[in-house]
Amino acid sequence: MRLPTLQTISLGLRATFVRFPIPTSVAALTTALLVLAIGEDFDESHIFRLAFLTGLGFVASLLCDLVAEARGASGRNRLIGHTGILILLLLYGRFFMPEFLDEARPPFWYGYFILLFALHLGIALVPAIGKSGSEKLWRFNLNCFLRYFFSSVNAALLFGGLALALLSVDKLFELGLDDELYPQLWVICALFAHPMLFLSGLPRIDSPEEATDFPKPLRFSLCFIGLPLVALYLLILYAYIAKIGIQWSWPNGWVAMPIFVLAVISLLTFVLSLPLPKTENWARFFHRWLFRALLPLSVVLFLALQVRLGDYGMTINRYLGLALAVWLFGLSLAYIIRPALKIAWMPFSLLLIALLSIYSGPIGAFGWSERAQMGRIQNMAEEFGVLKNGILVPSTGDFESERVAELQSALRYLFENFGPQPLEAELAGFYKENNQSDFSSKRSYNMTSRVMKYLELNDKLSGSRKNFYANRNVMPTHGHEWMVDLDVYSYRNNETSRSVTVDGRELLFTTNLEESRLTITADGTSIIEIDTNEWANELHDRIKTSGPDQTEPVFWQANAGDWAFTFGCTNAQLNSQGDRFQSARFTIFLTLPD
């Protein structure tokens, strides 16, 4: 075996660049952007935003080159295609991407990664549109699968070897290299070396390919790993179906997870083993009965998701789960009716489902889930009597804590995924008491807490904890000479201790939150024992009147003989009743006896 030389490596890179000039350039650009973002004092938010955009551009430009190669398109048509992709990327960045990715809501990330997945499905389908038809589809995707695995292993080995070499040089020669070099090296290996390794071995679609024997390692993996896993999941799921049939109960929503795992493993095994039914009995049996076994499970999946929908309404995850359940049912039924159906229909139908889920407007995942959660909020608000003439108002009655918790959950989901804009009309009364722009900039948890406080429903939640936060940058000492920081929290037997030495005296602070007791001893002698119930009740009243976020800390005085203490509380968590601390942070100012 001849080892590669620098000349062969450079020739390989050149050939890859000649075949895929735009994807190679985009991969280099993405890598350079992230290396700069890690190593220099740049505006990282805009660099990461551009890097995510060029990540889409890499996959889209690769798809364009492969389609042009399959159709035998001219260089002019390929250039037109890349120009169209550039325009679409600019439009996507302008109208779909938020200005700052750290402020992006979950629907953006769902849409981004589903679009990325759809582009990969498009690459998988490229051989089906070529002049040679769909006969190359299976072998092309098998080569891509194996090539991706090979590229991942080699890129990981490259990073590990170079990182260890860099660390060795740093330690042996005491160079004091920056720690940033290691994440930069990872970016280079993962986002440039890996794509180059993958692209360099990507089979050509426009050239004839000789049939080769089925890879023996893959046959072993399918026969002794894929098939047993499919059998195991089928056994578990059909045993569960028998159980719910005997008990005559509705399927548990958690059953969706093993069904999805089974679908992924079984369909991947089905696709990878397509040539084997001609020669292998197990593959012939597997291909004959797989979709017959999946069809009832797709129905169970649909019923299980209906339970969750009835309890909590439509969400993005449940919409996508229902879409996959419908796809799995349709796919299984199609292959049962027509076993010789072309394999291209599998990724093509999944591609349609993926794109329709995010780009079908009001009937898509985002529009439907927003509308469903809005409906739940309005119905529960009317039930509680806090929706008058379409505007949310404070409550006046007493309600079940479970129903109040459902309203809190729906509000938080809506704020987290879609912001306060869908409820803008309903929150008109709330905005009269709060700054609208300030409210919109807060996180979903704080937004939900403030709305629930405005509706006077926070105290109706069972098991909810009350939180108090204060600015501790500037605090008065109240004339004391010494300061001690003390954190208290529930731990095992609910008793914690902290020992400090002040002017040669050993002070021991012992807290028992379960019994609301704080004991202070000096050199083994008890000084004072404080009941913290009154402190907790005072904090609870402050939270009810002013909310959890306050500028000033709360102070309490405690004296014992010539000892004087002032306890400043900067943040705390109370139990649901508000009469006991769950945790707290105190700054203690003290004066010692003469």
Side-chain angles (χ1 to χ4, degrees):
M1 183 180 66
R2 296 178 59 186
L3 294 175
T5 63
L6 289 176
Q7 183 179 6
T8 58
I9 293 174
S10 63
L11 289 175
L13 288 174
R14 181 182 177 185
T16 302
F17 179 78
V18 169
R19 185 183 175 194
F20 302 112
I22 303 299
T24 303
S25 302
V26 173
L29 174 61
T30 305
T31 303
L33 288 171
L34 292 179
V35 167
L36 285 175
I38 294 172
E40 299 292 342
D41 188 17
F42 286 99
D43 186 354
E44 296 180 0
S45 59
H46 290 292
I47 290 182
F48 280 119
R49 185 177 184 272
L50 185 57
F52 272 89
L53 198 60
T54 55
L56 276 180
F58 171 78
V59 184
S61 60
L62 177 59
L63 174 60
C64 178
D65 279 344
L66 291 175
V67 169
E69 190 174 271
R71 303 298 297 176
S74 63
R76 177 175 174 273
N77 290 335
R78 182 176 296 198
L79 181 60
I80 292 174
H82 284 300
T83 303
I85 289 173
L86 177 60
I87 294 173
L88 291 175
L89 283 175
L90 292 175
L91 293 175
Y92 182 85
R94 174 66 177 84
F95 295 105
F96 290 94
M97 290 190 77
E99 185 176 357
F100 300 102
L101 291 182
D102 57 348
E103 298 177 359
R105 301 191 185 278
F108 164 75
W109 296 111
Y110 277 102
Y112 179 87
F113 287 109
I114 290 175
L115 178 59
L116 198 62
F117 175 68
L119 290 172
H120 281 86
L121 285 177
I123 291 175
L125 282 166
V126 167
I129 64 173
K131 296 179 179 179
S132 57
S134 60
E135 64 272 6
K136 288 188 176 181
L137 183 67
W138 178 83
R139 190 158 295 279
F140 173 79
N141 282 280
L142 175 63
N143 288 333
C144 288
F145 178 81
L146 297 176
R147 190 70 193 178
Y148 188 87
F149 177 78
F150 165 82
S151 305
S152 300
V153 171
N154 281 275
L157 290 174
L158 179 63
F159 169 71
L162 292 177
L164 185 57
L166 198 62
L167 180 63
S168 300
V169 171
D170 185 24
K171 296 300 182 183
L172 293 175
F173 296 95
E174 300 179 355
L175 299 179
L177 298 177
D178 291 336
D179 291 338
E180 295 171 346
L181 289 175
Y182 297 98
Q184 288 175 330
L185 180 61
W186 182 88
V187 167
I188 293 171
C189 292
L191 301 183
F192 186 75
H194 182 276
M196 292 304 99
L197 289 169
F198 176 76
L199 294 179
S200 64
L202 201 63
R204 296 191 68 90
I205 301 176
D206 57 350
S207 61
E209 186 177 356
E210 296 180 1
T212 57
D213 294 335
F214 194 90
K216 291 182 179 180
L218 182 59
R219 178 189 279 107
F220 177 87
S221 299
L222 294 175
C223 187
F224 295 101
I225 297 178
L227 190 62
L229 283 176
V230 172
L232 175 63
Y233 274 90
L234 286 174
L235 178 63
I236 294 172
L237 290 169
Y238 271 94
Y240 177 71
I241 291 176
K243 175 191 171 186
I244 62 176
I246 294 172
Q247 296 179 346
W248 199 244
S249 60
W250 208 258
N252 190 317
W254 201 89
V255 76
M257 180 60 68
I259 292 179
F260 285 138
V261 173
L262 170 65
V264 172
I265 296 174
S266 60
L267 293 178
L268 189 60
T269 304
F270 176 85
V271 171
L272 292 175
S273 63
L274 274 179
L276 294 180
K278 299 177 182 178
T279 57
E280 306 278 346
N281 290 330
W282 69 264
R284 193 177 304 115
F285 178 84
F286 178 78
H287 280 242
R288 181 178 180 182
W289 291 102
L290 173 63
F291 292 106
R292 290 179 172 85
L294 289 179
L295 187 65
L297 294 178
S298 65
V299 176
V300 172
L301 174 61
F302 185 80
L303 296 176
L305 290 171
Q306 286 297 320
V307 175
R308 307 293 291 179
L309 288 175
D311 292 340
Y312 307 109
M314 182 68 76
T315 63
I316 298 173
N317 286 340
R318 291 174 199 135
Y319 183 99
L320 297 177
L322 281 175
L324 289 176
V326 171
W327 175 75
L328 187 60
F329 177 83
L331 185 72
S332 301
L333 190 62
Y335 275 94
I336 290 172
I337 296 173
R338 293 191 61 186
L341 190 65
K342 292 182 178 180
I343 194 61
W345 282 103
M346 187 182 296
F348 179 71
S349 58
L350 186 58
L351 174 65
L352 288 180
I353 288 287
L355 292 177
L356 287 174
S357 295
I358 58 173
Y359 294 121
S360 53
I363 62 172
F366 309 139
W368 200 324
S369 60
E370 178 185 335
R371 193 167 58 251
Q373 295 304 315
M374 278 286 297
R376 288 186 67 221
I377 292 170
Q378 291 170 346
N379 291 337
M380 286 187 285
E382 289 179 354
E383 175 187 334
F384 299 152
V386 297
L387 188 65
K388 303 292 186 182
N389 299 321
I391 298 176
L392 291 171
V393 297
S395 66
T396 57
D398 194 15
F399 315 103
E400 294 183 3
S401 58
E402 291 79 6
R403 290 292 290 165
V404 177
E406 290 182 25
L407 175 61
Q408 181 192 42
S409 175
L411 279 171
R412 185 171 181 179
Y413 181 86
L414 190 73
F415 291 152
E416 181 178 358
N417 287 277
F418 306 104
Q421 288 77 18
L423 279 175
E424 190 167 350
E426 288 81 356
L427 291 173
F430 172 82
Y431 287 143
K432 288 182 179 179
E433 302 180 9
N434 299 270
N435 187 293
Q436 183 172 354
S437 60
D438 176 64
F439 176 71
S440 301
S441 65
K442 291 185 177 294
R443 296 294 182 182
S444 60
Y445 177 84
N446 289 331
M447 286 191 280
T448 306
S449 177
R450 292 178 65 178
V451 171
M452 293 294 288
K453 175 181 175 296
Y454 165 76
L455 297 176
E456 298 183 3
L457 292 174
N458 265 334
D459 291 337
K460 309 296 191 300
L461 295 168
S462 65
S464 62
R465 296 174 176 178
K466 278 57 175 191
N467 295 298
F468 167 81
Y469 303 97
N471 184 349
R472 59 195 304 266
N473 293 330
V474 179
M475 294 179 64
T477 66
H478 295 270
H480 295 287
E481 300 173 345
W482 302 90
M483 183 186 79
V484 177
D485 284 329
L486 178 66
D487 292 334
V488 297
Y489 48 88
S490 297
Y491 181 72
R492 292 184 182 175
N493 60 357
N494 294 304
E495 190 167 282
T496 58
S497 298
R498 188 192 174 197
S499 175
V500 297
T501 301
V502 180
D503 198 22
R505 303 186 186 189
E506 184 180 359
L507 297 183
L508 181 65
F509 298 87
T510 304
T511 57
N512 190 314
L513 296 182
E514 187 68 28
E515 299 178 4
S516 299
R517 185 178 70 248
L518 169 60
T519 304
I520 306 175
T521 62
D523 295 328
T525 302
S526 178
I527 298 175
I528 189 172
E529 185 174 295
I530 302 170
D531 184 354
T532 58
N533 271 127
E534 294 183 5
W535 296 0
N537 289 325
E538 182 179 341
L539 273 187
H540 186 211
D541 293 338
R542 285 177 176 259
I543 294 170
K544 289 170 62 176
T545 56
S546 304
D549 298 314
Q550 300 204 21
T551 302
E552 299 297 331
V554 180
F555 293 94
W556 298 284
Q557 304 284 339
N559 298 308
D562 293 332
W563 293 84
F565 300 90
T566 298
F567 292 83
C569 182
T570 54
N571 64 64
Q573 188 176 79
L574 308 179
N575 64 347
S576 58
Q577 290 77 30
D579 61 357
R580 181 163 49 84
F581 285 98
Q582 296 283 332
S583 64
R585 173 168 291 176
F586 296 105
T587 297
I588 305 173
F589 300 99
L590 61 122
T591 299
L592 305 180
D594 293 336

